[in-house]
Amino acid sequence: MHRILYHHYMSMPQVNLTSLRNLVLILLTGLSLQALAEPPVIAVAANLNAPMTKIVSEFEKEKGATFRVTYGSSGNLARQIVQGAPYELFISASSSYIEFLFKQGVISNNGWAFANGPIGIYVPEDSRLYKGAKLRTIVTALRYKTYRKIALANPEHAPYGVAAMQALQSAGIWALESTRTLLAEDVSQVVPFVLSGNADLAIIPYSFMKTDQLKGKGKYIALPAEWYEPVTQHVVLLENASEVTREFDRFLASDRARSILEDYGYATPELQ
């Protein structure tokens, strides 16, 4: 009985183990390569976090692509690019950092103007300055130092910090006391300072008032546009940009992307 079963087993068609092994290797190699293929990484100025999240989502749905987005101050992102960070596209809140990269030989063109973002003073509801807050009363409080602390982005590497200081100087406030000033690494980090109660007021992009974090909370007082140089976002492709990133660059100029920006209070310059 055992002999018959053994003979029947041995007479069955044999599987080609070599072919099977090769098939498994091919499948595993394909999966490994897929796992190793990292999505393109783009660097974006921190003020654009909310609208850019929507723009990237729209593009990914349309193209089936995936991006990793790093947000930060334009100055810090530009330095990372010079140091070899593998970003494929850079959106800076100032053309000065685009020019910096061009002089460093990292990029071969100056990109294009993407959006303009106004700034203003934000006063949280628990601030001593909230009641009756107007531009005139806020400027008076800053001049006579009847506030605890003011929060703004660090002007050393954040364009919105530069714009904030320009506006203050236009209002006749030439210096801020260091003990009364909270400098954020980038403009997105300004908001936690005021929401935590550590500052009476902050200078932020108007677009932040369109986010769930601040919508309907506190008071926003627009600063006169003539008090500071326009904060114009610029887009530039890096030399290592993949085709999908180049498609995304073109998508940023689309009506859909521009509509999202305008929903957040940005002005979109006429494209050449």
Side-chain angles (χ1 to χ4, degrees), residues 4-268:
I4 295 171
L5 288 174
Y6 178 76
H7 175 76
H8 176 70
Y9 169 77
M10 292 297 293
S11 65
M12 290 175 64
Q14 299 298 297
V15 176
N16 189 321
L17 294 179
T18 301
S19 299
L20 182 60
R21 184 172 61 250
N22 290 341
L23 178 60
V24 170
L25 287 173
I26 290 170
L27 290 172
L28 289 176
T29 301
L31 291 172
S32 300
L33 289 174
Q34 187 176 10
L36 290 172
E38 292 290 339
V41 187
I42 61 177
V44 179
N47 64 285
L48 287 167
N49 192 313
M52 190 55 57
T53 298
K54 287 192 174 183
I55 291 171
V56 169
S57 177
E58 291 279 335
F59 179 81
E60 289 179 338
K61 287 177 185 176
E62 182 178 311
K63 301 294 182 180
T66 302
F67 281 103
R68 283 174 49 207
V69 185
T70 296
Y71 296 98
S73 70
S74 299
N76 283 341
L77 292 173
R79 279 188 283 275
Q80 291 171 17
I81 291 170
V82 170
Q83 292 166 2
Y87 302 134
E88 296 190 9
L89 179 141
F90 176 39
I91 304 180
S92 171
S94 171
S95 61
S96 63
Y97 292 111
I98 303 295
E99 293 166 5
F100 166 71
L101 293 178
F102 184 79
K103 290 177 181 177
Q104 293 290 318
V106 179
I107 56 176
S108 58
N109 65 82
N110 290 323
W112 54 281
F114 178 50
N116 293 321
I119 63 171
I121 295 170
Y122 175 74
V123 185
E125 295 173 3
D126 60 354
S127 169
R128 66 181 69 183
L129 304 176
Y130 180 77
K131 189 176 181 179
K134 296 179 181 178
L135 182 59
R136 177 179 55 80
T137 60
I138 295 298
V139 169
T140 299
L142 290 169
R143 282 178 179 165
Y144 292 97
K145 300 178 176 61
T146 58
Y147 65 98
R148 290 181 303 121
K149 291 182 185 293
I150 181 173
L152 62 150
N154 192 330
E156 289 188 5
H157 48 73
Y160 276 91
V162 173
M165 291 305 300
Q166 290 172 346
L168 291 172
Q169 290 168 6
S170 295
I173 302 158
W174 291 94
L176 294 171
E177 289 185 8
S178 59
T179 56
R180 292 175 180 265
T181 307
L182 298 173
L183 294 179
E185 189 68 13
D186 61 58
V187 74
S188 69
Q189 295 179 22
V190 171
V191 175
F193 283 142
V194 283
L195 293 185
S196 64
N198 289 322
D200 280 329
L201 69 163
I203 299 180
I204 62 172
Y206 172 64
S207 61
F208 285 9
M209 297 304 296
K210 300 286 189 175
T211 64
D212 292 338
Q213 195 175 26
L214 292 183
K215 189 183 295 182
K217 302 172 185 175
K219 288 184 180 178
Y220 176 86
I221 303 162
L223 287 165
E226 62 270 20
W227 282 15
Y228 58 94
E229 294 180 9
V231 186
T232 303
Q233 328 290 312
H234 281 73
V235 181
V236 68
L237 283 166
L238 281 297
E239 299 301 314
N240 63 329
S242 60
E243 181 54 38
V244 70
T245 303
R246 294 178 187 277
E247 278 192 67
F248 182 66
D249 176 60
R250 294 189 288 271
F251 183 78
L252 290 174
S254 70
D255 290 341
R256 181 63 187 129
R258 290 161 69 85
S259 175
I260 293 172
L261 286 169
E262 289 164 5
D263 287 345
Y264 281 87
Y266 287 94
T268 52

